[in-house]
Amino acid sequence: MPVVTYISHDGAINEIEVASGTSVMQGAVDNMIDGIVAECGGSCSCATCHCYIDEAWLDKVPPASEMEKDMLECVLEPEDNSRLSCQITVTDELDGLVVKLPASQF
Amino acid sequence: MTEACCIVVGASHAGGQLAVSLRQQGWEGRILIIGDEPFLPYNRPPLSKTFLSGEKHIEDLLIRPEAQYEKVGIEFLLGQRVKSIDRNNKTVTLNKGETFAYDKLALTTGARVRPLAIAGSELKGVLYLRDISDVEHIRQFIGKGKKAVIVGGGYIGLETAAMLRKLGLQVTVLEAAERILNRVTAPQVSEFYTRVHREEGVQLETGVEIQGFVGQDRVEGVQCGDGTVYPADLVIIGIGVIPNTELAQAAGLEVENGIKVNEFCQTSDPDITAAGDCTNHFNGFYQRNLRLESVQNAMEQARVAAATLCDKPIEYNALPWFWSDQYDIKLQIAGLSSGYDELVIRGDQNGSRKFSAFYLSKGRVIAVDAINNPQDFMFGKQIITRKLLVDKAGLSDPEISLKDFLKK
Ligand SMILES: Cc1cc2nc3c(=O)[nH]c(=O)nc-3n(C[C@H](O)[C@H](O)[C@H](O)COP(=O)(O)OP(=O)(O)OC[C@H]3O[C@@H](n4cnc5c(N)ncnc54)[C@H](O)[C@@H]3O)c2cc1C
Ligand code: FES
């Protein structure tokens, strides 16, 4: 199973096995990782699943939809590597993915 | 001494989150969730959206998989209903007679559909939509070309109409009030959704008085006050919900259009908290009592209730928000619009499928309906919580970024 590493704003590291086909958000929620709230359950409506993609993985993650881009422009502390984790599906190609979680979702 | 036990009644958005939050906040004792549906907590919103259409399956709906609850020691008793609470002895009793002792109790009993008790409502094919089993019923009656009548033009009715159109049914929506979404949005937003549903081929009638359902064994039509009969292979009734408060009321807890809770989600018994659709709370932001029906409220109150049970109280003060997906339209609503004295429309409400409606009270924004406009929703939320006085001309001009309002 692909492994995704979640790094909290305080530096805590969680390496989690996430089944292919589920989202990066679901992997965090399933494992009760603080820092991803996911109020809308993954329907790209709330932006409480904001994360930062590690630079090394930026070109391997498929691009954001227009709706997601619009949402990302308004999150607290947006960065170029900002994404909504519910919109990223884990695949074998993403095995090893590293994401950082913003302080604002704790 | 035996280990402390927290019992949670109701296994849905609020109950599941409450149990998880208890663990996250350091509750070391036993946690037992008792729920009368046969499923682990699942996401309810897709029931009228992607689950109805068949894009999502039951496994996809679960909020968390079973193994994750096991890992942190959260126990479930599913398909069982709590019949009564004995606050003196601190026990709950199930329908089947079994009794469990609690140290702390959390009520997350949610809400049930409001029934429409009129002639013919017992006919096969007269259905509701609240849980998985309802969708399974609906599925038995749908098929290309079949005729569906939706009673009630609220969000759930309209979402269902959109999905059934997508599945190739002929759809009629009948609303008793003069406009759809009457209770929740401004007339301009109702007009917009009326136009969209008609463009998508839905027959939409307002001001309709429904007298009964006709048919032998299965429903065949909906009979209205003016004599019209709308033919129907199935009817879905969506006229609102009633909070499940009987259990709390019988136990002597304070109930008034929901189980009364304070800002810490505590009921009138300090060992009992409540969260989600079943509660009525005093909202600090709007300065009045509210009973909300949203996932966000269920989750947020669950966190607050868990903190209270762990003696680490935090105050509930989230701005309500809600979403609705219909066709290619994502509606995001922040805040509550009731009591607004002015409406500002941003964008083209008549020709396009993208605009926002800002509800103002005394010059301040109290709510926004953002239609395919996530930026207006996100910035709108901040404008509301910061209680900014806004320039209306700027607000109505989509060329001016709302970000500029926040810089001031
Ligand atoms: C079709 C549909 C679409 C929706 N769409 C949206 C949306 O887009 N966005 C949004 O924010 N919200 C939406 N909602 C509302 C949202 O689903 C509710 O606000 C949410 O489910 C509330 O969660 P809850 O845990 O408080 O209550 P509920 O989900 O109602 O759960 C309560 C549970 O407790 C059980 N229970 C009750 N009494 C007992 C008892 N005595 N013993 C044992 N178990 C008991 C019930 O059977 C139920 O399983 C939608 C709802 C529906 C039905
Ligand atoms: S979970 Fe709501 S936008 Fe990702």
Side-chain angles (χ1 to χ4, degrees), chain B residues 258-290:
Chain B
I259 304 170
K260 274 256 171 127
V261 292
N262 64 14
E263 61 273 42
F264 303 107
C265 290
Q266 227 163 10
T267 66
S268 49
D269 179 333
D271 286 326
I272 306 179
T273 59
D277 281 16
C278 65
T279 65
N280 189 310
H281 73 282
F282 181 79
N283 189 284
F285 190 79
Y286 290 97
Q287 287 293 309
R288 60 190 152 98
N289 279 308
L290 296 175

mmCIF file of all heavy atoms in Angstrom, chain B residues 258-290:
data_model
loop_
_atom_site.group_PDB
_atom_site.id
_atom_site.type_symbol
_atom_site.label_atom_id
_atom_site.label_comp_id
_atom_site.label_asym_id
_atom_site.label_seq_id
_atom_site.Cartn_x
_atom_site.Cartn_y
_atom_site.Cartn_z
ATOM 1 N N GLY B 258 -35.528 21.192 20.196
ATOM 2 C CA GLY B 258 -34.177 20.645 20.302
ATOM 3 C C GLY B 258 -33.779 20.516 21.762
ATOM 4 O O GLY B 258 -34.392 21.132 22.636
ATOM 5 N N ILE B 259 -32.765 19.695 22.017
ATOM 6 C CA ILE B 259 -32.272 19.532 23.388
ATOM 7 C C ILE B 259 -31.457 20.777 23.724
ATOM 8 O O ILE B 259 -30.509 21.115 23.012
ATOM 9 C CB ILE B 259 -31.384 18.274 23.509
ATOM 10 C CG1 ILE B 259 -32.143 17.026 23.036
ATOM 11 C CG2 ILE B 259 -30.884 18.108 24.952
ATOM 12 C CD1 ILE B 259 -31.261 15.777 22.889
ATOM 13 N N LYS B 260 -31.852 21.465 24.781
ATOM 14 C CA LYS B 260 -31.184 22.716 25.131
ATOM 15 C C LYS B 260 -29.759 22.459 25.592
ATOM 16 O O LYS B 260 -29.524 21.656 26.501
ATOM 17 C CB LYS B 260 -31.955 23.399 26.269
ATOM 18 C CG LYS B 260 -33.068 24.249 25.769
ATOM 19 C CD LYS B 260 -32.637 25.705 25.859
ATOM 20 C CE LYS B 260 -33.635 26.594 25.175
ATOM 21 N NZ LYS B 260 -34.114 27.679 26.021
ATOM 22 N N VAL B 261 -28.798 23.148 24.979
ATOM 23 C CA VAL B 261 -27.401 23.047 25.433
ATOM 24 C C VAL B 261 -26.818 24.441 25.611
ATOM 25 O O VAL B 261 -27.240 25.395 24.950
ATOM 26 C CB VAL B 261 -26.520 22.248 24.444
ATOM 27 C CG1 VAL B 261 -26.921 20.779 24.408
ATOM 28 C CG2 VAL B 261 -26.541 22.851 23.049
ATOM 29 N N ASN B 262 -25.835 24.539 26.493
ATOM 30 C CA ASN B 262 -25.135 25.816 26.653
ATOM 31 C C ASN B 262 -23.975 25.894 25.659
ATOM 32 O O ASN B 262 -23.823 25.026 24.798
ATOM 33 C CB ASN B 262 -24.689 26.001 28.110
ATOM 34 C CG ASN B 262 -23.655 24.957 28.541
ATOM 35 O OD1 ASN B 262 -23.080 24.254 27.702
ATOM 36 N ND2 ASN B 262 -23.421 24.851 29.827
ATOM 37 N N GLU B 263 -23.141 26.921 25.794
ATOM 38 C CA GLU B 263 -22.068 27.117 24.807
ATOM 39 C C GLU B 263 -21.010 26.013 24.883
ATOM 40 O O GLU B 263 -20.146 25.916 24.024
ATOM 41 C CB GLU B 263 -21.437 28.505 24.946
ATOM 42 C CG GLU B 263 -20.779 28.813 26.278
ATOM 43 C CD GLU B 263 -21.745 29.375 27.329
ATOM 44 O OE1 GLU B 263 -22.887 28.863 27.438
ATOM 45 O OE2 GLU B 263 -21.348 30.310 28.051
ATOM 46 N N PHE B 264 -21.105 25.142 25.905
ATOM 47 C CA PHE B 264 -20.170 24.021 26.014
ATOM 48 C C PHE B 264 -20.852 22.691 25.641
ATOM 49 O O PHE B 264 -20.350 21.614 25.949
ATOM 50 C CB PHE B 264 -19.583 23.947 27.424
ATOM 51 C CG PHE B 264 -18.898 25.218 27.831
ATOM 52 C CD1 PHE B 264 -19.476 26.075 28.764
ATOM 53 C CD2 PHE B 264 -17.698 25.578 27.235
ATOM 54 C CE1 PHE B 264 -18.863 27.271 29.111
ATOM 55 C CE2 PHE B 264 -17.077 26.770 27.572
ATOM 56 C CZ PHE B 264 -17.662 27.623 28.511
ATOM 57 N N CYS B 265 -22.031 22.798 25.011
ATOM 58 C CA CYS B 265 -22.806 21.640 24.578
ATOM 59 C C CYS B 265 -23.267 20.766 25.737
ATOM 60 O O CYS B 265 -23.483 19.563 25.597
ATOM 61 C CB CYS B 265 -22.044 20.800 23.554
ATOM 62 S SG CYS B 265 -21.902 21.629 21.983
ATOM 63 N N GLN B 266 -23.391 21.389 26.907
ATOM 64 C CA GLN B 266 -23.883 20.697 28.080
ATOM 65 C C GLN B 266 -25.403 20.852 28.157
ATOM 66 O O GLN B 266 -25.915 21.944 27.914
ATOM 67 C CB GLN B 266 -23.283 21.362 29.316
ATOM 68 C CG GLN B 266 -22.717 20.411 30.304
ATOM 69 C CD GLN B 266 -21.782 21.141 31.260
ATOM 70 O OE1 GLN B 266 -21.701 22.366 31.280
ATOM 71 N NE2 GLN B 266 -21.075 20.372 32.066
ATOM 72 N N THR B 267 -26.094 19.769 28.511
ATOM 73 C CA THR B 267 -27.540 19.856 28.695
ATOM 74 C C THR B 267 -27.809 20.350 30.119
ATOM 75 O O THR B 267 -26.866 20.724 30.834
ATOM 76 C CB THR B 267 -28.203 18.472 28.539
ATOM 77 O OG1 THR B 267 -27.756 17.636 29.619
ATOM 78 C CG2 THR B 267 -27.823 17.823 27.220
ATOM 79 N N SER B 268 -29.053 20.297 30.550
ATOM 80 C CA SER B 268 -29.352 20.750 31.908
ATOM 81 C C SER B 268 -28.814 19.766 32.954
ATOM 82 O O SER B 268 -28.875 20.048 34.149
ATOM 83 C CB SER B 268 -30.865 20.992 32.069
ATOM 84 O OG SER B 268 -31.605 19.890 31.580
ATOM 85 N N ASP B 269 -28.294 18.612 32.532
ATOM 86 C CA ASP B 269 -27.591 17.691 33.438
ATOM 87 C C ASP B 269 -26.093 17.767 33.103
ATOM 88 O O ASP B 269 -25.692 17.477 31.977
ATOM 89 C CB ASP B 269 -28.114 16.264 33.210
ATOM 90 C CG ASP B 269 -27.421 15.213 34.086
ATOM 91 O OD1 ASP B 269 -26.251 15.434 34.472
ATOM 92 O OD2 ASP B 269 -28.052 14.173 34.364
ATOM 93 N N PRO B 270 -25.254 18.183 34.052
ATOM 94 C CA PRO B 270 -23.831 18.411 33.731
ATOM 95 C C PRO B 270 -23.086 17.174 33.241
ATOM 96 O O PRO B 270 -22.042 17.312 32.586
ATOM 97 C CB PRO B 270 -23.230 18.927 35.051
ATOM 98 C CG PRO B 270 -24.261 18.704 36.104
ATOM 99 C CD PRO B 270 -25.586 18.555 35.439
ATOM 100 N N ASP B 271 -23.591 15.973 33.503
ATOM 101 C CA ASP B 271 -22.920 14.766 33.007
ATOM 102 C C ASP B 271 -23.391 14.362 31.612
ATOM 103 O O ASP B 271 -22.939 13.358 31.067
ATOM 104 C CB ASP B 271 -23.153 13.592 33.974
ATOM 105 C CG ASP B 271 -22.320 13.750 35.232
ATOM 106 O OD1 ASP B 271 -21.191 14.279 35.128
ATOM 107 O OD2 ASP B 271 -22.807 13.380 36.320
ATOM 108 N N ILE B 272 -24.319 15.129 31.072
ATOM 109 C CA ILE B 272 -24.857 14.781 29.752
ATOM 110 C C ILE B 272 -24.639 15.929 28.771
ATOM 111 O O ILE B 272 -25.070 17.060 29.017
ATOM 112 C CB ILE B 272 -26.366 14.443 29.831
ATOM 113 C CG1 ILE B 272 -26.623 13.353 30.886
ATOM 114 C CG2 ILE B 272 -26.887 14.012 28.468
ATOM 115 C CD1 ILE B 272 -28.079 12.962 31.046
ATOM 116 N N THR B 273 -23.961 15.629 27.674
ATOM 117 C CA THR B 273 -23.804 16.626 26.615
ATOM 118 C C THR B 273 -24.680 16.200 25.432
ATOM 119 O O THR B 273 -25.134 15.065 25.362
ATOM 120 C CB THR B 273 -22.354 16.723 26.124
ATOM 121 O OG1 THR B 273 -21.949 15.446 25.645
ATOM 122 C CG2 THR B 273 -21.406 17.168 27.219
ATOM 123 N N ALA B 274 -24.875 17.128 24.513
ATOM 124 C CA ALA B 274 -25.611 16.792 23.286
ATOM 125 C C ALA B 274 -24.995 17.582 22.142
ATOM 126 O O ALA B 274 -24.445 18.672 22.348
ATOM 127 C CB ALA B 274 -27.097 17.115 23.434
ATOM 128 N N ALA B 275 -25.056 17.024 20.943
ATOM 129 C CA ALA B 275 -24.451 17.672 19.781
ATOM 130 C C ALA B 275 -25.203 17.313 18.510
ATOM 131 O O ALA B 275 -25.791 16.237 18.408
ATOM 132 C CB ALA B 275 -22.986 17.241 19.656
ATOM 133 N N GLY B 276 -25.193 18.238 17.550
ATOM 134 C CA GLY B 276 -25.740 17.971 16.219
ATOM 135 C C GLY B 276 -27.172 18.436 16.026
ATOM 136 O O GLY B 276 -27.669 19.311 16.744
ATOM 137 N N ASP B 277 -27.839 17.815 15.067
ATOM 138 C CA ASP B 277 -29.192 18.219 14.664
ATOM 139 C C ASP B 277 -30.212 18.192 15.807
ATOM 140 O O ASP B 277 -31.249 18.835 15.717
ATOM 141 C CB ASP B 277 -29.724 17.272 13.570
ATOM 142 C CG ASP B 277 -29.177 17.588 12.187
ATOM 143 O OD1 ASP B 277 -28.169 18.319 12.101
ATOM 144 O OD2 ASP B 277 -29.753 17.106 11.196
ATOM 145 N N CYS B 278 -29.945 17.417 16.865
ATOM 146 C CA CYS B 278 -30.933 17.296 17.946
ATOM 147 C C CYS B 278 -30.864 18.456 18.940
ATOM 148 O O CYS B 278 -31.697 18.535 19.827
ATOM 149 C CB CYS B 278 -30.755 15.964 18.689
ATOM 150 S SG CYS B 278 -29.182 15.818 19.577
ATOM 151 N N THR B 279 -29.875 19.358 18.791
ATOM 152 C CA THR B 279 -29.685 20.372 19.831
ATOM 153 C C THR B 279 -30.273 21.731 19.470
ATOM 154 O O THR B 279 -30.481 22.055 18.309
ATOM 155 C CB THR B 279 -28.185 20.620 20.116
ATOM 156 O OG1 THR B 279 -27.592 21.185 18.944
ATOM 157 C CG2 THR B 279 -27.483 19.352 20.505
ATOM 158 N N ASN B 280 -30.455 22.518 20.509
ATOM 159 C CA ASN B 280 -30.812 23.908 20.372
ATOM 160 C C ASN B 280 -29.836 24.686 21.241
ATOM 161 O O ASN B 280 -29.754 24.451 22.436
ATOM 162 C CB ASN B 280 -32.260 24.119 20.839
ATOM 163 C CG ASN B 280 -32.770 25.506 20.518
ATOM 164 O OD1 ASN B 280 -32.107 26.498 20.822
ATOM 165 N ND2 ASN B 280 -33.930 25.582 19.915
ATOM 166 N N HIS B 281 -29.062 25.570 20.619
ATOM 167 C CA HIS B 281 -28.028 26.262 21.394
ATOM 168 C C HIS B 281 -28.171 27.775 21.278
ATOM 169 O O HIS B 281 -28.767 28.285 20.319
ATOM 170 C CB HIS B 281 -26.627 25.846 20.935
ATOM 171 C CG HIS B 281 -26.238 26.422 19.592
ATOM 172 N ND1 HIS B 281 -26.698 25.904 18.409
ATOM 173 C CD2 HIS B 281 -25.440 27.474 19.260
ATOM 174 C CE1 HIS B 281 -26.190 26.602 17.400
ATOM 175 N NE2 HIS B 281 -25.440 27.564 17.880
ATOM 176 N N PHE B 282 -27.624 28.477 22.242
ATOM 177 C CA PHE B 282 -27.597 29.935 22.147
ATOM 178 C C PHE B 282 -26.348 30.300 21.362
ATOM 179 O O PHE B 282 -25.234 29.956 21.731
ATOM 180 C CB PHE B 282 -27.558 30.595 23.520
ATOM 181 C CG PHE B 282 -27.561 32.090 23.418
ATOM 182 C CD1 PHE B 282 -28.748 32.776 23.180
ATOM 183 C CD2 PHE B 282 -26.379 32.811 23.502
ATOM 184 C CE1 PHE B 282 -28.747 34.162 23.036
ATOM 185 C CE2 PHE B 282 -26.385 34.202 23.360
ATOM 186 C CZ PHE B 282 -27.570 34.869 23.134
ATOM 187 N N ASN B 283 -26.565 30.977 20.217
ATOM 188 C CA ASN B 283 -25.443 31.304 19.356
ATOM 189 C C ASN B 283 -24.941 32.714 19.654
ATOM 190 O O ASN B 283 -25.683 33.688 19.524
ATOM 191 C CB ASN B 283 -25.887 31.173 17.897
ATOM 192 C CG ASN B 283 -24.721 31.289 16.947
ATOM 193 O OD1 ASN B 283 -24.223 32.380 16.696
ATOM 194 N ND2 ASN B 283 -24.279 30.150 16.429
ATOM 195 N N GLY B 284 -23.713 32.803 20.066
ATOM 196 C CA GLY B 284 -23.126 34.081 20.457
ATOM 197 C C GLY B 284 -23.051 35.052 19.294
ATOM 198 O O GLY B 284 -23.267 36.252 19.462
ATOM 199 N N PHE B 285 -22.780 34.540 18.106
ATOM 200 C CA PHE B 285 -22.623 35.432 16.953
ATOM 201 C C PHE B 285 -23.951 36.080 16.575
ATOM 202 O O PHE B 285 -24.028 37.273 16.327
ATOM 203 C CB PHE B 285 -22.039 34.662 15.771
ATOM 204 C CG PHE B 285 -21.622 35.547 14.652
ATOM 205 C CD1 PHE B 285 -20.418 36.234 14.711
ATOM 206 C CD2 PHE B 285 -22.450 35.737 13.562
ATOM 207 C CE1 PHE B 285 -20.050 37.083 13.694
ATOM 208 C CE2 PHE B 285 -22.085 36.587 12.533
ATOM 209 C CZ PHE B 285 -20.876 37.260 12.594
ATOM 210 N N TYR B 286 -25.013 35.273 16.538
ATOM 211 C CA TYR B 286 -26.318 35.816 16.129
ATOM 212 C C TYR B 286 -27.171 36.252 17.317
ATOM 213 O O TYR B 286 -28.279 36.737 17.145
ATOM 214 C CB TYR B 286 -27.064 34.807 15.260
ATOM 215 C CG TYR B 286 -26.409 34.657 13.902
ATOM 216 C CD1 TYR B 286 -25.532 33.628 13.636
ATOM 217 C CD2 TYR B 286 -26.635 35.602 12.909
ATOM 218 C CE1 TYR B 286 -24.908 33.526 12.400
ATOM 219 C CE2 TYR B 286 -26.018 35.508 11.670
ATOM 220 C CZ TYR B 286 -25.158 34.466 11.418
ATOM 221 O OH TYR B 286 -24.528 34.372 10.208
ATOM 222 N N GLN B 287 -26.663 36.009 18.533
ATOM 223 C CA GLN B 287 -27.371 36.434 19.745
ATOM 224 C C GLN B 287 -28.809 35.903 19.825
ATOM 225 O O GLN B 287 -29.738 36.622 20.197
ATOM 226 C CB GLN B 287 -27.375 37.969 19.852
ATOM 227 C CG GLN B 287 -26.005 38.551 20.242
ATOM 228 C CD GLN B 287 -25.588 38.181 21.658
ATOM 229 O OE1 GLN B 287 -26.334 38.347 22.621
ATOM 230 N NE2 GLN B 287 -24.372 37.641 21.797
ATOM 231 N N ARG B 288 -28.994 34.642 19.423
ATOM 232 C CA ARG B 288 -30.316 34.024 19.615
ATOM 233 C C ARG B 288 -30.159 32.510 19.626
ATOM 234 O O ARG B 288 -29.105 31.982 19.266
ATOM 235 C CB ARG B 288 -31.305 34.467 18.545
ATOM 236 C CG ARG B 288 -30.884 34.119 17.141
ATOM 237 C CD ARG B 288 -31.821 34.818 16.155
ATOM 238 N NE ARG B 288 -31.134 35.080 14.908
ATOM 239 C CZ ARG B 288 -31.233 34.319 13.830
ATOM 240 N NH1 ARG B 288 -31.985 33.255 13.835
ATOM 241 N NH2 ARG B 288 -30.583 34.616 12.714
ATOM 242 N N ASN B 289 -31.241 31.835 20.026
ATOM 243 C CA ASN B 289 -31.205 30.379 20.050
ATOM 244 C C ASN B 289 -31.358 29.816 18.649
ATOM 245 O O ASN B 289 -32.153 30.319 17.866
ATOM 246 C CB ASN B 289 -32.330 29.840 20.934
ATOM 247 C CG ASN B 289 -31.939 29.908 22.392
ATOM 248 O OD1 ASN B 289 -30.883 29.424 22.772
ATOM 249 N ND2 ASN B 289 -32.776 30.534 23.195
ATOM 250 N N LEU B 290 -30.602 28.788 18.359
ATOM 251 C CA LEU B 290 -30.629 28.198 17.025
ATOM 252 C C LEU B 290 -30.651 26.685 17.096
ATOM 253 O O LEU B 290 -30.014 26.088 17.956
ATOM 254 C CB LEU B 290 -29.354 28.570 16.254
ATOM 255 C CG LEU B 290 -29.083 30.019 15.908
ATOM 256 C CD1 LEU B 290 -27.722 30.124 15.255
ATOM 257 C CD2 LEU B 290 -30.171 30.538 14.973
#
